Amino acid sequence: MATQPQKPINFIDLKAQREYLGKKIDNAVMGVVDSCAFVMGPQVREFEAKIAEFAGAKYGLSCANGTDAIVLPLMAWGIGAGDAVFCPSFTFAATAEVIPWTGATGVFVDILEDTYNIDPVKLEEAIEKVVADGKLTPKVVIAVDLFGQAADYPKIRAICDKYNLKLISDSAQGFGCTLNGKHPIEWADAQTTSFFPAKPLGCYGDGGAVITNSEDDWHMMDSIRVHGKAVKNDLEGKNFDHDPKYMNMRIGMNSRLDTIQAAVLLEKIAIFSEEIEKRNVVADRYYEGLKDVCVAPIVIDGGVSNWAQYTIQVPDRDALMAYLRENGVPSAAYYPIPMHVQGPYLDFVNTGYGQLPVTEHMADAVMSLPMHPYMDTETQDYIIAKIREFLSK
Ligand SMILES: *Cc1c(COP(=O)(O)O)cnc(C)c1O
């Protein structure tokens, strides 16, 4: 019988990573403090280049958080009133929240039972429904790489091409995941991520980024993140008798990544591939220890998850969570209330109980276990033993 580890068990252990990185973080932060280049310092551009390179894309654009990262491409593409934007309901609020910010209407789509990601068949049905209704113009699909694994991008891209839609990959959880060796930006027009500390690639506060292969989109988003400032295409071939710095060409926002966060992220992205490998070791160990007693996660064919969450399905989820809590094991239910039944989202299409049966079922059935790259085997064996103990009762 596995005995309870001496140290408290963490759902995500940020301290272990801090120790692993040691003085590198201190030096990175103090370097920015000493330089006083707190906003748009050189580390910001350096990190933007790094994250693009990591994902095999041309351009990276950092911003204040993973929510702004999703709205930036929507704004850059001029999405607004009368447009339909499709997204899953089984996700964190931010994915859906940004759609009404632009004036567009959100359309919720159900998920697949095995991967929890948007169901391409249901996506096409939802698009057909909007087309048949004739009130909205389908414009964008936001796919989410939920719990760390890629959505079915080859199928989703084919649908987007058929209906002439743009595709955003919300990789706030999934950044670093691949499908057939490629990052989601291989298929998406924009891939977005969050550096919230608990995400697989987190900083020491809030932060986000958009990855793109379009130079025009990059400049447009660069303008929008700084109050609609004039950028390349606005200035080309024109002469000004004043500094164009304070020319505002469009309505934008203030959404910059702090230089200190960029400096922290430069250290973290250097070990990120190694961390994804370690996360996969932990995930494999969970799988071997639990596959015969619960529904263990399934990864899409050809996919490598970053295991932002290790999520299982059990018959009596809440009881198991309570039992684990009593035994010193933290767990979490993502997401207990789907977006399509929540009050502020009832203006979307496909809302209310009964509309998205797979999403509604999973909201009651899934739970996520402690997961981070630095989990020791003793701790993990204890967690597995406690789950087995409960499920065999
Ligand atoms: C965390 C998250 C976001 C938002 O990121 P923030 O940095 O907190 O704004 C968006 N989408 C998904 C799927 C997320 O998990």
Side-chain angles (χ1 to χ4, degrees), residues 65-67 70 91-92 94-95 144 170 172-173 194 196 199 207 335:
N65 55 68
T67 309
I70 313 170
T91 181
F92 181 64
T95 312
V144 178
D170 175 356
Q173 298 175 22
S194 161
F196 182 77
K199 310 283 176 169
Y335 291 92

Short mmCIF file of all heavy atoms in Angstrom, two decimals, residues 65-67 70 91-92 94-95 144 170 172-173 194 196 199 207 335, ligand 1:
data_model
loop_
_atom_site.label_atom_id
_atom_site.label_comp_id
_atom_site.label_asym_id
_atom_site.label_seq_id
_atom_site.Cartn_x
_atom_site.Cartn_y
_atom_site.Cartn_z
N ASN A 65 -2.51 38.97 -22.18
CA ASN A 65 -3.09 37.73 -21.63
C ASN A 65 -3.64 36.88 -22.77
O ASN A 65 -3.74 37.35 -23.92
CB ASN A 65 -4.20 38.04 -20.60
CG ASN A 65 -5.26 38.94 -21.18
OD1 ASN A 65 -6.00 38.55 -22.06
ND2 ASN A 65 -5.31 40.19 -20.71
N GLY A 66 -4.04 35.66 -22.44
CA GLY A 66 -4.52 34.73 -23.46
C GLY A 66 -5.90 35.06 -23.98
O GLY A 66 -6.30 34.54 -25.03
N THR A 67 -6.63 35.89 -23.27
CA THR A 67 -7.96 36.31 -23.74
C THR A 67 -7.81 37.35 -24.85
O THR A 67 -8.39 37.21 -25.93
CB THR A 67 -8.78 36.89 -22.57
OG1 THR A 67 -8.75 35.96 -21.48
CG2 THR A 67 -10.21 37.16 -22.97
N ILE A 70 -6.93 36.05 -28.24
CA ILE A 70 -7.98 35.53 -29.15
C ILE A 70 -8.72 36.68 -29.83
O ILE A 70 -9.11 36.57 -31.00
CB ILE A 70 -8.99 34.64 -28.38
CG1 ILE A 70 -8.27 33.62 -27.49
CG2 ILE A 70 -9.91 33.90 -29.37
CD1 ILE A 70 -9.21 32.87 -26.54
N THR A 91 -15.16 24.63 -22.59
CA THR A 91 -13.90 25.36 -22.60
C THR A 91 -13.93 26.39 -21.50
O THR A 91 -14.96 26.61 -20.86
CB THR A 91 -13.67 26.04 -23.97
OG1 THR A 91 -12.41 26.74 -23.97
CG2 THR A 91 -14.77 27.05 -24.29
N PHE A 92 -12.81 27.07 -21.29
CA PHE A 92 -12.75 28.19 -20.37
C PHE A 92 -13.48 29.38 -21.01
O PHE A 92 -13.44 29.56 -22.23
CB PHE A 92 -11.29 28.54 -20.08
CG PHE A 92 -11.11 29.67 -19.12
CD1 PHE A 92 -11.54 29.55 -17.81
CD2 PHE A 92 -10.54 30.87 -19.52
CE1 PHE A 92 -11.39 30.59 -16.91
CE2 PHE A 92 -10.38 31.92 -18.63
CZ PHE A 92 -10.81 31.79 -17.33
N ALA A 94 -13.04 32.40 -21.59
CA ALA A 94 -12.38 33.36 -22.49
C ALA A 94 -12.61 33.06 -23.97
O ALA A 94 -12.76 33.98 -24.78
CB ALA A 94 -10.88 33.36 -22.20
N THR A 95 -12.65 31.77 -24.34
CA THR A 95 -12.81 31.39 -25.74
C THR A 95 -14.07 32.01 -26.33
O THR A 95 -14.06 32.54 -27.44
CB THR A 95 -12.92 29.85 -25.88
OG1 THR A 95 -11.89 29.23 -25.12
CG2 THR A 95 -12.85 29.41 -27.32
N VAL A 144 -10.36 24.76 -29.79
CA VAL A 144 -9.59 24.80 -28.55
C VAL A 144 -8.80 23.50 -28.41
O VAL A 144 -9.33 22.42 -28.68
CB VAL A 144 -10.54 24.97 -27.33
CG1 VAL A 144 -9.76 24.96 -26.02
CG2 VAL A 144 -11.34 26.25 -27.47
N ASP A 170 -7.14 28.12 -30.26
CA ASP A 170 -6.96 28.61 -28.89
C ASP A 170 -6.12 27.56 -28.16
O ASP A 170 -6.63 26.58 -27.63
CB ASP A 170 -8.32 28.82 -28.23
CG ASP A 170 -8.21 29.20 -26.75
OD1 ASP A 170 -7.09 29.24 -26.22
OD2 ASP A 170 -9.27 29.43 -26.12
N ALA A 172 -4.31 28.05 -25.45
CA ALA A 172 -3.95 28.54 -24.11
C ALA A 172 -3.50 27.37 -23.24
O ALA A 172 -2.55 27.49 -22.46
CB ALA A 172 -5.15 29.24 -23.47
N GLN A 173 -4.19 26.24 -23.39
CA GLN A 173 -3.79 25.04 -22.65
C GLN A 173 -2.84 24.19 -23.49
O GLN A 173 -1.97 23.51 -22.95
CB GLN A 173 -5.02 24.21 -22.28
CG GLN A 173 -5.97 24.96 -21.37
CD GLN A 173 -7.27 24.20 -21.09
OE1 GLN A 173 -7.35 22.98 -21.22
NE2 GLN A 173 -8.30 24.94 -20.70
N SER A 194 -1.83 31.47 -23.73
CA SER A 194 -1.85 32.23 -22.48
C SER A 194 -0.62 31.84 -21.67
O SER A 194 -0.23 30.68 -21.66
CB SER A 194 -3.11 31.87 -21.70
OG SER A 194 -2.96 32.22 -20.33
N PHE A 196 -0.64 32.55 -18.36
CA PHE A 196 -1.12 32.48 -16.98
C PHE A 196 -0.27 31.41 -16.26
O PHE A 196 0.04 30.38 -16.86
CB PHE A 196 -2.60 32.10 -17.00
CG PHE A 196 -3.25 32.03 -15.65
CD1 PHE A 196 -3.61 33.18 -14.96
CD2 PHE A 196 -3.49 30.79 -15.04
CE1 PHE A 196 -4.21 33.10 -13.71
CE2 PHE A 196 -4.07 30.70 -13.80
CZ PHE A 196 -4.43 31.87 -13.12
N LYS A 199 -0.72 27.58 -16.75
CA LYS A 199 -0.70 26.96 -18.08
C LYS A 199 0.65 26.27 -18.28
O LYS A 199 1.64 26.64 -17.62
CB LYS A 199 -0.89 28.02 -19.16
CG LYS A 199 -2.06 28.95 -18.93
CD LYS A 199 -3.41 28.34 -19.26
CE LYS A 199 -4.49 29.33 -18.91
NZ LYS A 199 -5.80 29.00 -19.38
N GLY A 207 0.00 37.04 -19.20
CA GLY A 207 0.65 37.24 -20.48
C GLY A 207 -0.02 36.39 -21.54
O GLY A 207 -0.76 35.45 -21.21
N TYR A 335 -14.94 21.29 -17.16
CA TYR A 335 -15.58 22.47 -16.64
C TYR A 335 -16.96 22.07 -16.18
O TYR A 335 -17.69 21.50 -16.99
CB TYR A 335 -15.66 23.53 -17.75
CG TYR A 335 -14.26 24.04 -18.08
CD1 TYR A 335 -13.50 23.46 -19.08
CD2 TYR A 335 -13.70 25.08 -17.33
CE1 TYR A 335 -12.20 23.91 -19.34
CE2 TYR A 335 -12.42 25.54 -17.60
CZ TYR A 335 -11.68 24.95 -18.60
OH TYR A 335 -10.41 25.38 -18.86
C1 LIG B 1 -6.67 30.18 -19.75
C2 LIG B 1 -7.42 30.13 -21.03
C3 LIG B 1 -7.68 31.29 -21.80
C4 LIG B 1 -7.40 32.68 -21.32
O1 LIG B 1 -6.14 32.99 -20.90
P1 LIG B 1 -5.85 34.21 -19.90
O2 LIG B 1 -4.39 34.42 -20.03
O3 LIG B 1 -6.27 33.79 -18.54
O4 LIG B 1 -6.62 35.39 -20.40
C5 LIG B 1 -8.30 31.14 -23.02
N1 LIG B 1 -8.69 29.93 -23.47
C6 LIG B 1 -8.48 28.80 -22.77
C7 LIG B 1 -8.92 27.49 -23.33
C8 LIG B 1 -7.85 28.87 -21.52
O5 LIG B 1 -7.67 27.73 -20.81
#
